[in-house]
Amino acid sequence: MDKRRRITLNDIARACGVSRATVSLVLRGSPLVHPETRRLVEAEMQRQGYVYNRAAANLRQRVSSAVALVVNDLSNPFFAEFATGVDEALGAKGYVTLLGSSNESPARQRQVLGSLMEHHPAGIILSPAESSMASDVALAIGRHTPLLVFNRQLTGDAEPGFEYDFLGLDNRAGARAAAARLIALGHRRIAFYGGHAGSSSCRERRIGYQEALREAGIAPDERWLIETAPTRLEANAHADVLLALEPAPTAAVCYNDAVALGLMLGLVRLGRRPGEDFAVTGFDDIPEAGVGIPPLTTVSAAPRERGRQAAELVLQRAASPTLPGRSVIAPVHLTERDSTPALAS
């Protein structure tokens, strides 16, 4: 046999003395195939070096066994947990995950989405880059690919007929709970630290924080709203801006856990002791939050569970593409640890 010729299902079927349909059932993991026949076919595939062209099969069947996941910051541990949840839920249904990252660039996001669309995914889960336009996403993926947008809203309007589902976190309630707890511990000068105001999730968390201050009779000070990229390194680098305020805050509600952990490192660098003379809260409850020094009080968003939920929603949309767009807001709760001491009298 010419080894340069591509091995086909018919080659495997002839060698095993079974039908091509039986070989196809083996590839699809069908329980209808007798175990001994399955072992015979799989052994022959291995012997001949058969490689299943799943993309071609998907095109023939007009179905796909892959779902694309595009996140805005792959370095954030929150998205590692989220992606794990997505992959777990998809794997349980026989799907694989195609992963991409925009690195907070809408231009890069368009490129990644366009490339992933070449694989004809059954659906897309997108945590958008900041300032992502609905029209740009619609242009990249078309109107017929099931889409689940996570965490941040798309801005602007797309062409008619572009429908998608949204899964978000209760950002406002979470930040409000964090700020209210700091107020109950005696803090009155409380900053909101990190994130960019143009991001919908940051905007919602700032609103919740401000609501808690106003409910306690505290007038929010614009100087207490300190923007940084939502990363540990940027949060660390800008800690001096926080402490340069006069009078300086005694506590900070941070945009996310990465920011909170970076701020705590910056405070230590500047001679402060988070958990003793400065209170810090995060948002997400990534695994590292519970083992920080000190362990971080944070708003728990259950990122792995949210990943499983996102996968379920996009598969539901793929099964029923005419469903109207849905918006689901997942609850969050405050998990208190050692980073939030009471204000010393």
Side-chain angles (χ1 to χ4, degrees):
M1 181 180 294
D2 184 355
K3 292 186 178 180
R4 291 173 298 179
R5 184 176 71 83
R6 186 172 65 86
I7 307 301
T8 68
L9 291 187
N10 288 330
D11 295 326
I12 304 300
R14 279 194 298 270
C16 295
V18 300
S19 69
R20 186 182 186 282
T22 297
V23 177
S24 181
L25 288 172
V26 170
L27 283 170
R28 295 203 298 269
S30 172
L32 300 176
V33 181
H34 190 278
E36 186 57 39
T37 302
R38 180 184 303 281
R39 283 192 289 271
L40 174 67
V41 170
E42 289 175 345
E44 185 61 26
M45 288 177 177
Q46 185 173 11
R47 188 187 73 79
Q48 293 198 37
Y50 175 78
V51 177
Y52 182 36
N53 190 338
R54 187 175 295 276
N58 288 342
L59 286 174
R60 289 192 297 271
Q61 300 170 28
R62 296 189 180 276
V63 297
S64 176
S65 59
V67 170
L69 168 61
V70 181
V71 299
N72 51 290
D73 182 7
L74 198 54
S75 67
N76 187 335
F78 175 87
F79 288 109
E81 286 291 299
F82 179 78
T84 298
V86 168
D87 194 59
E88 288 173 349
L90 292 178
K93 298 292 180 64
Y95 289 81
V96 297
T97 308
L98 304 176
L99 180 62
S101 176
S102 66
N103 196 29
E104 296 290 15
S105 165
R108 173 63 178 167
Q109 181 173 276
R110 288 193 297 271
Q111 181 183 24
V112 170
L113 286 171
S115 179
L116 290 173
M117 285 300 295
E118 295 176 6
H119 298 271
H120 306 279
I124 294 175
I125 299 169
L126 171 66
S127 181
E130 289 185 358
S131 305
S132 292
M133 301 293 294
S135 56
D136 286 347
V137 175
L139 187 63
I141 71 172
R143 292 185 298 171
H144 304 297
T145 303
L147 172 65
L148 183 285
V149 174
F150 174 67
N151 190 42
R152 291 174 176 163
Q153 297 279 3
L154 299 176
T155 60
D157 297 321
E159 62 184 70
F162 179 62
E163 294 278 352
Y164 60 89
D165 296 316
F166 178 75
L167 172 61
L169 307 173
D170 199 342
N171 292 304
R172 186 179 299 192
R176 185 169 57 243
R181 182 57 187 149
L182 292 172
I183 292 166
L185 291 167
H187 297 276
R188 306 282 296 178
R189 298 192 304 277
I190 304 169
F192 186 96
Y193 191 82
H196 291 141
S199 162
S200 64
S201 56
C202 183
R203 186 164 57 248
E204 291 165 3
R205 292 174 195 182
R206 282 186 171 191
I207 290 171
Y209 149 84
Q210 291 168 331
E211 287 174 346
L213 266 59
R214 291 192 180 100
E215 288 168 6
I218 302 170
D221 188 329
E222 287 295 318
R223 298 178 306 151
W224 296 347
L225 300 175
I226 298 174
E227 289 196 49
T228 76
T231 66
R232 187 179 315 209
L233 288 177
E234 283 291 305
N236 184 331
H238 289 82
D240 57 334
V241 176
L242 179 67
L243 295 187
L245 296 175
E246 186 61 45
T250 63
V253 172
C254 291
Y255 170 70
N256 65 12
D257 287 351
V259 165
L261 293 169
L263 174 59
M264 290 200 297
L265 290 172
L267 290 170
V268 170
R269 172 172 53 82
L270 296 170
R272 300 300 293 271
R273 296 167 298 170
E276 296 183 38
D277 60 17
F278 198 98
V280 178
T281 69
F283 201 116
D284 289 339
D285 203 13
I286 61 175
E288 191 177 351
V291 295
I293 302 176
L296 180 65
T297 293
T298 187
V299 177
S300 298
R304 189 171 297 201
E305 184 178 337
R306 297 289 76 78
R308 291 192 287 264
Q309 186 177 13
E312 290 164 3
L313 287 170
V314 80
L315 291 180
Q316 289 170 13
R317 163 72 74 158
S320 303
T322 59
L323 283 174
R326 296 171 293 176
S327 182
V328 178
I329 302 300
V332 296
H333 66 274
L334 187 67
T335 296
E336 192 163 7
R337 299 191 180 102
D338 297 342
S339 68
T340 45
L343 182 66
S345 56

